Amino acid sequence: MNNRSLRLRLMVLASLVISVILIISGLAFYWLFQRHVEKFVMAELTTHFEQLAAGLVLNPGGQLELRSNLTDPRFLVPGGGLYWQVDVKGQLSLRSRSLWDAQLEVPTPPEQPEEDHAHVLLLPFGGEIFALEKLVTVEGEAGKETRAVVTVGLERLRVTEAAAVFARQIIAGLAVVYAALLFGSLGMIMLGLKPLQRLKDAVVLAKTDEDQLSTDAFPSEVMPLVEEINALTEARRAQLESARKRASNLAHGLKTPLTVLSTVATELATVGQHAAARTIKENTQLMRGFVERELTRSRMADGSRSYRAPLRQTVESVVNTMKRAPRGDALIWSTNLPQLAFVQMDATDLLELVGNLTDNARKYARTMVRLSYDGSSFIVEDDGPGVDETKLESIMSRGVRLDETVNAVIDGQGIGLSIVKDLAEVYQLQVSATKSVLGGLAVRVELPLAPSRTA
């Protein structure tokens, strides 16, 4: 696909849009997961705080004590991941065994019971914890009471590891979703562009079969384009038909004056003015050849490889016509052509090409003309005198024509081949002239086969 491909542009656009959406979605999911984890941590710490606060009592000496240990075993293992600490002014802090002999530094203890502080604290032996701090009032005997700051913390590494695992999993999941969406987008793009491919195929068929595109076979979004193509095709067809009619009218209009000039030349010869007669005859034939060639060029199609024309039927039609021409019925016509072969050329142009090559061979053949097709080239051979080997290359050279001289036109050699060269130039075909195994001239024209029609 090149950089002007609509399919490529849509795929790039789809991949960019999908990437942006999935990246934003991944970040949003990760943020939501972190918020969920933070709420879960705070809920767990609150539960531990409530258990801890319920177990705090004042002994008869007014010292704060923990009457019952917390049930989570992580509080009992040094560095176990869960920690608690109770701070009272003037007393040693109460701590969980998980802190061992270390102590948490609480930078901003709450000053009112309704205050809850939640932030990250550093562990004395390394690492961080999510900490929840609250101020509680513990009542003792005889109305005694004391205030204590209770801190409960969960190791932050446990939480970040869980978040990292979730991030890896969500990246893997989104990668799978990305691939699925990308393949799905490719399928939708292919399906969405299918009417354009059908439109292209329909244009080729309409061009070769001279039919209009069906307005019922395409989606409404493509209909304006279909209508414009129909209008353009019809205008082009009308222009080509008009040009061919004008060429035919011009040919008929020139035919009579040229015939009159030929008659005058004959009359001059009968009265002894042979030089004048020969000059008029030569120039008449030269004019006839040039007019025929230019009229043929005006009738040519545009050279598109989308045309289809039957080769065998065209050749057989030309051969039947040649048999009615002078000496045609006396020649042996040999053909070796595939039964069902269509070539990439307009039917009228193919008829012109085959006709000129065959007529040229008829003029110079002694006893036989052979027409064949080898799968890629159409070959016309005769057993006539042929062409001098020094002129074989110049016959088909671009810009060199044997019909540029009067003698060549009088001899009849060159006009037909010039028309063949013009057709080959329009259709970008290779043409070559060689000596035939029959002894005369062999002209080979590249004629690619048209692709088979699908139902």
Side-chain angles (χ1 to χ4, degrees), residues 18 32 47 94 151 212 250 278 320 343 362 387 395 409 455:
I18 293 172
L32 290 174
T47 301
L94 300 177
T151 303
Q212 292 241 322
L250 181 59
R278 185 169 58 255
N320 290 333
V343 294
R362 175 192 62 81
V387 178
I395 289 178
V409 175

Side-chain angles (χ1 to χ4, degrees), residues 292-342:
E292 179 182 351
R293 178 172 173 271
E294 293 305 318
L295 292 181
T296 301
R297 286 177 62 90
S298 70
R299 293 194 297 267
M300 291 180 189
D302 58 6
S304 170
R305 291 296 181 96
S306 62
Y307 290 111
R308 287 168 56 90
L311 180 61
R312 186 184 183 92
Q313 291 88 326
T314 302
V315 172
E316 290 177 348
S317 174
V318 169
V319 169
N320 290 333
T321 302
M322 291 298 154
K323 287 180 178 179
R324 294 192 292 270
R327 297 182 57 251
D329 57 346
L331 297 174
I332 298 173
W333 296 89
S334 172
T335 58
N336 182 17
L337 303 164
Q339 182 65 36
L340 298 175
F342 287 82

